PDB file of all heavy atoms in Angstrom:
ATOM      1  N   THR A  59      -1.345 -19.263  18.572  1.00 98.00           N
ATOM      2  CA  THR A  59      -0.563 -18.107  18.107  1.00 98.00           C
ATOM      3  C   THR A  59       0.759 -18.555  17.479  1.00 98.00           C
ATOM      4  O   THR A  59       1.250 -19.669  17.724  1.00 98.00           O
ATOM      5  CB  THR A  59      -0.187 -17.159  19.280  1.00 98.00           C
ATOM      6  OG1 THR A  59       0.745 -17.847  20.133  1.00 98.00           O
ATOM      7  CG2 THR A  59      -1.394 -16.711  20.070  1.00 98.00           C
ATOM      8  N   GLY A  60       1.344 -17.637  16.726  1.00 98.00           N
ATOM      9  CA  GLY A  60       2.648 -17.887  16.122  1.00 98.00           C
ATOM     10  C   GLY A  60       3.734 -17.958  17.177  1.00 98.00           C
ATOM     11  O   GLY A  60       4.675 -18.750  17.073  1.00 98.00           O
ATOM     12  N   SER A  61       3.604 -17.112  18.204  1.00 98.00           N
ATOM     13  CA  SER A  61       4.605 -17.144  19.264  1.00 98.00           C
ATOM     14  C   SER A  61       4.629 -18.528  19.920  1.00 98.00           C
ATOM     15  O   SER A  61       5.705 -19.080  20.171  1.00 98.00           O
ATOM     16  CB  SER A  61       4.303 -16.091  20.338  1.00 98.00           C
ATOM     17  OG  SER A  61       4.376 -14.802  19.779  1.00 98.00           O
ATOM     18  N   ASN A  64       6.339 -21.051  17.610  1.00 98.00           N
ATOM     19  CA  ASN A  64       7.798 -20.884  17.629  1.00 98.00           C
ATOM     20  C   ASN A  64       8.395 -21.395  18.936  1.00 98.00           C
ATOM     21  O   ASN A  64       9.425 -22.075  18.953  1.00 98.00           O
ATOM     22  CB  ASN A  64       8.179 -19.408  17.471  1.00 98.00           C
ATOM     23  CG  ASN A  64       8.044 -18.926  16.041  1.00 98.00           C
ATOM     24  OD1 ASN A  64       8.134 -19.711  15.098  1.00 98.00           O
ATOM     25  ND2 ASN A  64       7.835 -17.628  15.874  1.00 98.00           N
ATOM     26  N   HIS A  85      12.041 -12.196  15.631  1.00 98.00           N
ATOM     27  CA  HIS A  85      10.814 -12.162  16.428  1.00 98.00           C
ATOM     28  C   HIS A  85      10.961 -13.039  17.668  1.00 98.00           C
ATOM     29  O   HIS A  85      10.561 -12.653  18.766  1.00 98.00           O
ATOM     30  CB  HIS A  85       9.634 -12.647  15.572  1.00 98.00           C
ATOM     31  CG  HIS A  85       8.286 -12.345  16.135  1.00 98.00           C
ATOM     32  ND1 HIS A  85       7.694 -13.104  17.120  1.00 98.00           N
ATOM     33  CD2 HIS A  85       7.397 -11.354  15.860  1.00 98.00           C
ATOM     34  CE1 HIS A  85       6.505 -12.594  17.406  1.00 98.00           C
ATOM     35  NE2 HIS A  85       6.296 -11.537  16.664  1.00 98.00           N
ATOM     36  N   GLU A  90       8.679 -12.179  21.742  1.00 98.00           N
ATOM     37  CA  GLU A  90       7.947 -13.311  22.311  1.00 98.00           C
ATOM     38  C   GLU A  90       8.116 -13.358  23.825  1.00 98.00           C
ATOM     39  O   GLU A  90       8.138 -14.420  24.450  1.00 98.00           O
ATOM     40  CB  GLU A  90       8.345 -14.617  21.582  1.00 98.00           C
ATOM     41  CG  GLU A  90       7.902 -14.518  20.117  1.00 98.00           C
ATOM     42  CD  GLU A  90       8.104 -15.737  19.233  1.00 98.00           C
ATOM     43  OE1 GLU A  90       8.481 -16.810  19.745  1.00 98.00           O
ATOM     44  OE2 GLU A  90       7.881 -15.597  18.029  1.00 98.00           O
ATOM     45  N   GLU A 138      13.971 -16.315   9.836  1.00 98.00           N
ATOM     46  CA  GLU A 138      12.659 -15.680   9.675  1.00 98.00           C
ATOM     47  C   GLU A 138      12.470 -15.316   8.205  1.00 98.00           C
ATOM     48  O   GLU A 138      13.350 -14.687   7.617  1.00 98.00           O
ATOM     49  CB  GLU A 138      12.657 -14.417  10.543  1.00 98.00           C
ATOM     50  CG  GLU A 138      11.309 -13.907  10.945  1.00 98.00           C
ATOM     51  CD  GLU A 138      11.457 -12.767  11.969  1.00 98.00           C
ATOM     52  OE1 GLU A 138      11.930 -13.010  13.096  1.00 98.00           O
ATOM     53  OE2 GLU A 138      11.091 -11.632  11.630  1.00 98.00           O
ATOM     54  N   ASN A 142      10.160  -9.593   9.813  1.00 96.00           N
ATOM     55  CA  ASN A 142       9.193  -8.599  10.282  1.00 96.00           C
ATOM     56  C   ASN A 142       9.897  -7.264  10.489  1.00 96.00           C
ATOM     57  O   ASN A 142       9.686  -6.307   9.748  1.00 96.00           O
ATOM     58  CB  ASN A 142       8.560  -9.134  11.581  1.00 96.00           C
ATOM     59  CG  ASN A 142       7.579  -8.169  12.208  1.00 96.00           C
ATOM     60  OD1 ASN A 142       7.603  -6.971  11.956  1.00 96.00           O
ATOM     61  ND2 ASN A 142       6.697  -8.675  13.036  1.00 96.00           N
ATOM     62  N   ASP A 171      10.767 -19.436  11.240  1.00 98.00           N
ATOM     63  CA  ASP A 171       9.622 -18.633  11.652  1.00 98.00           C
ATOM     64  C   ASP A 171       9.037 -18.075  10.357  1.00 98.00           C
ATOM     65  O   ASP A 171       9.513 -17.078   9.827  1.00 98.00           O
ATOM     66  CB  ASP A 171      10.086 -17.521  12.600  1.00 98.00           C
ATOM     67  CG  ASP A 171       8.952 -16.584  12.995  1.00 98.00           C
ATOM     68  OD1 ASP A 171       7.846 -16.710  12.431  1.00 98.00           O
ATOM     69  OD2 ASP A 171       9.189 -15.725  13.869  1.00 98.00           O
ATOM     70  N   ALA A 173       6.035 -16.766   9.727  1.00 98.00           N
ATOM     71  CA  ALA A 173       4.784 -16.039   9.986  1.00 98.00           C
ATOM     72  C   ALA A 173       4.202 -15.481   8.682  1.00 98.00           C
ATOM     73  O   ALA A 173       3.010 -15.577   8.429  1.00 98.00           O
ATOM     74  CB  ALA A 173       5.034 -14.913  10.987  1.00 98.00           C
ATOM     75  N   ARG A 174       5.080 -14.902   7.855  1.00 98.00           N
ATOM     76  CA  ARG A 174       4.637 -14.362   6.561  1.00 98.00           C
ATOM     77  C   ARG A 174       5.291 -15.097   5.396  1.00 98.00           C
ATOM     78  O   ARG A 174       5.568 -14.516   4.349  1.00 98.00           O
ATOM     79  CB  ARG A 174       4.952 -12.864   6.472  1.00 98.00           C
ATOM     80  CG  ARG A 174       4.157 -12.024   7.439  1.00 98.00           C
ATOM     81  CD  ARG A 174       4.304 -10.530   7.196  1.00 98.00           C
ATOM     82  NE  ARG A 174       3.509  -9.784   8.155  1.00 98.00           N
ATOM     83  CZ  ARG A 174       3.907  -9.463   9.380  1.00 98.00           C
ATOM     84  NH1 ARG A 174       5.108  -9.827   9.809  1.00 98.00           N
ATOM     85  NH2 ARG A 174       3.112  -8.780  10.189  1.00 98.00           N
ATOM     86  N   CYS A 199       1.763 -18.415  10.053  1.00 98.00           N
ATOM     87  CA  CYS A 199       0.614 -17.730  10.651  1.00 98.00           C
ATOM     88  C   CYS A 199      -0.545 -17.712   9.674  1.00 98.00           C
ATOM     89  O   CYS A 199      -0.365 -17.413   8.503  1.00 98.00           O
ATOM     90  CB  CYS A 199       0.957 -16.277  10.984  1.00 98.00           C
ATOM     91  SG  CYS A 199       1.861 -16.071  12.503  1.00 98.00           S
ATOM     92  N   LYS A 202      -2.155 -13.481   9.765  1.00 98.00           N
ATOM     93  CA  LYS A 202      -1.507 -12.274   9.194  1.00 98.00           C
ATOM     94  C   LYS A 202      -2.109 -12.040   7.809  1.00 98.00           C
ATOM     95  O   LYS A 202      -3.287 -11.813   7.701  1.00 98.00           O
ATOM     96  CB  LYS A 202       0.005 -12.492   9.137  1.00 98.00           C
ATOM     97  CG  LYS A 202       0.629 -12.735  10.506  1.00 98.00           C
ATOM     98  CD  LYS A 202       1.396 -11.529  11.004  1.00 98.00           C
ATOM     99  CE  LYS A 202       1.659 -11.559  12.481  1.00 98.00           C
ATOM    100  NZ  LYS A 202       2.925 -12.176  12.840  1.00 98.00           N
ATOM    101  N   SER A 210      -1.974 -20.403  14.153  1.00 98.00           N
ATOM    102  CA  SER A 210      -0.715 -20.672  13.457  1.00 98.00           C
ATOM    103  C   SER A 210      -0.548 -22.179  13.422  1.00 98.00           C
ATOM    104  O   SER A 210      -1.190 -22.893  14.194  1.00 98.00           O
ATOM    105  CB  SER A 210       0.458 -20.049  14.214  1.00 98.00           C
ATOM    106  OG  SER A 210       0.522 -18.668  13.947  1.00 98.00           O
TER     107      SER A 210
HETATM  108  C1  LIG B 401       3.448 -12.104  13.993  1.00 77.27           C
HETATM  109  C2  LIG B 401       4.700 -12.869  14.011  1.00 77.27           C
HETATM  110  C3  LIG B 401       4.827 -14.024  14.800  1.00 77.27           C
HETATM  111  C4  LIG B 401       3.735 -14.588  15.668  1.00 77.27           C
HETATM  112  O1  LIG B 401       3.016 -13.682  16.350  1.00 77.27           O
HETATM  113  P1  LIG B 401       1.699 -14.013  17.203  1.00 77.27           P
HETATM  114  O2  LIG B 401       1.153 -12.659  17.414  1.00 77.27           O
HETATM  115  O3  LIG B 401       2.137 -14.703  18.418  1.00 77.27           O
HETATM  116  O4  LIG B 401       0.802 -14.878  16.365  1.00 77.27           O
HETATM  117  C5  LIG B 401       6.025 -14.701  14.745  1.00 77.27           C
HETATM  118  N1  LIG B 401       7.026 -14.286  13.968  1.00 77.27           N
HETATM  119  C6  LIG B 401       6.944 -13.194  13.190  1.00 77.27           C
HETATM  120  C7  LIG B 401       8.089 -12.819  12.320  1.00 77.27           C
HETATM  121  C8  LIG B 401       5.776 -12.445  13.176  1.00 77.27           C
HETATM  122  O5  LIG B 401       5.689 -11.368  12.395  1.00 77.27           O
END
Side-chain angles (χ1 to χ4, degrees):
T59 68
S61 297
N64 283 334
H85 195 279
E90 296 184 8
E138 202 172 294
N142 177 339
D171 176 353
R174 293 189 180 84
C199 280
K202 299 255 162 92
S210 281

